[in-house]
Amino acid sequence: MSKYDALWKYVSESGKNSFKLTYAEIENAAGIPIDHSFLTYKKELIEYGYKVGKISMKEQTVEFIKEQ
């Protein structure tokens, strides 16, 4: 079980082809603060049919893209 499972489930249940979440929205969905480990864990999202796209430090957003 991953510490980001709640977030991955939230992303996969969105049903959207692509969308962005702010860091605050990610923390709310995950139930934990986002940290550098997110970069390691993001590969788990592929199991849910999505991948992490652009991560913007300036805008504090992360793009999620549905795998085709």
Side-chain angles (χ1 to χ4, degrees):
M1 183 167 184
S2 166
K3 70 181 193 174
Y4 287 105
D5 279 343
L7 174 60
W8 305 151
K9 186 175 180 182
Y10 176 86
V11 169
S12 68
E13 290 177 351
S14 75
K16 298 177 183 176
N17 286 332
S18 69
F19 62 101
K20 288 183 183 178
L21 293 175
T22 65
Y23 291 177
E25 291 169 324
I26 290 170
E27 290 176 355
N28 187 42
I32 57 170
I34 190 171
D35 58 26
H36 279 72
S37 71
F38 179 82
L39 298 174
T40 302
Y41 284 94
K42 70 179 186 174
K43 64 183 176 237
E44 298 174 344
L45 186 55
I46 293 170
E47 297 172 27
Y48 291 81
Y50 281 80
K51 65 181 179 181
V52 172
K54 182 179 179 186
I55 300 173
S56 173
M57 298 295 280
K58 181 179 179 181
E59 296 176 9
Q60 295 193 339
T61 60
V62 177
E63 179 182 33
F64 298 93
I65 304 166
K66 191 171 191 175
E67 290 279 280
Q68 300 300 328

